[in-house]
Each structure stands twice: as structure tokens, then as C-alpha cells.
Amino acid sequence: MRHVHSSLTSVRGEILVRRAVARDAKRLTRLVRGSRAYGGQYASMVSGYRVGPDYIESHRVFVAADADVDPGRVLGFYSLILAPPELDLLFVQDGMQGRGIGRLLVEHMTAEARAAGLARVRVVSHPPAEGFYRSVGALRTGTVAANPPAVPWDRPELEFLIPQLPT
């Protein structure tokens, strides 16, 4: 696997996907902590979660932002870990789901993974998000057992196969 320093930037319509910077940390933390997907029984998972500047600087974190109206407004984000290959985080802002932002982020992640020479990317999914991941091409590979008290429920394990482009 080769290490790639460059970052892909994508623009689709009015949405820009760009590399996150340290000043995005508070926005990303608010997006995670405020996610309705983690309400009820899942609330403890994100209540004290923090996406800090150190995390952003040491991982491949990308944000989907409003390219035209407010480029500082984060609509969603993801984090790709190269070794071992894993989609660590993927969140879309409440009220923005169903508009293709998650799909755009997955497409961007796939291109980043391909550029880094990865053949597959693992995802340990939040249980309600499994359907989304399967709808964008992830394949179910198993189940990660609960690990109380941090994670008191089993989680689906999936992977994206990253097709390499012919050279």
C-alpha cells in the first residue's frame, strides 16, 4: 500500500467535499452529539464524544459543505483510517439526510481509498445505519459483539470492496 499525501476535493451541485481542518472540530463534534440517530438507547454512545483538532490532523477527515451559500456550514463528514482500512465515522446533519450527501461522502471515501491503494474498507455500523451502508454498496461480513459498558449492543460489520481502475 502506498501512502498518498494529496487529498481529493469534489464538488457536486452546491455541495463541496473538502479535507477537514482543525477549526472544523467543534462543528463536527456538535454534529455527532446532536445526531438524532443516536437518540434513546444509543445516546450514551455519543454523549461525551469529541472530534478534536488532533483527530482531524492525524486522520483523513473530509466534510461536505455548502459550496454556494455558506462554505463553513458542515452538512456531513467522514473519517477514513488507512491502516487497518476502516471507515471510522460518517455522519450527515439531521434534516439533510435523504439528499444524497451520505452517498456523495461514500463515493468520495471510495475514491480516497482507491488513491491510497486500498482493496477494501471495513465499517462497524451503528445498527440503524446498516441499511444505508448496504444501499451504497457495502457487504455484510459479520457482527461485532457488544462490549459493555461502552457499547451495549451488537453492531453489524460490513466492508466496501474498492475496485481499482485499469491502468
Side-chain angles (χ1 to χ4, degrees), residues 10-154:
S10 300
V11 179
R12 179 182 295 164
E14 299 170 357
I15 300 172
L16 162 76
V17 178
R18 62 165 172 80
R19 187 77 184 249
V21 294
R23 71 177 177 271
D24 291 319
K26 287 181 182 177
R27 289 182 185 111
L28 303 186
T29 296
R30 279 194 304 270
L31 200 157
V32 170
R33 289 183 184 176
S35 174
R36 284 193 312 256
Y38 283 87
Q41 68 176 343
Y42 302 114
S44 64
M45 186 76 181
V46 297
S47 63
Y49 199 86
R50 180 177 173 267
V51 181
D54 52 337
Y55 181 89
I56 291 170
E57 291 171 7
S58 62
H59 293 82
R60 300 177 75 76
V61 181
F62 292 86
V63 300
D66 189 328
D68 294 332
V69 179
D70 181 3
R73 181 175 176 222
V74 173
L75 306 175
F77 78 100
Y78 77 89
S79 173
L80 175 64
I81 296 173
L82 298 181
E86 184 168 355
L87 179 61
D88 188 37
L89 301 168
L90 189 147
F91 281 83
V92 174
Q93 184 183 80
D94 289 344
M96 298 305 292
Q97 290 139 353
R99 298 182 185 196
I101 295 167
R103 183 174 295 275
L104 174 64
L105 289 171
V106 167
E107 289 170 3
H108 190 276
M109 180 278 300
T110 301
E112 279 288 316
R114 181 180 301 113
L118 303 178
R120 54 186 28 96
V121 174
R122 175 181 187 242
V123 180
V124 177
S125 177
H126 175 50
E130 179 182 3
F132 164 75
Y133 286 118
R134 291 174 69 135
S135 77
V136 293
L139 305 171
R140 176 90 186 241
T141 57
T143 300
V144 175
N147 183 17
V151 183
W153 54 84
D154 293 346

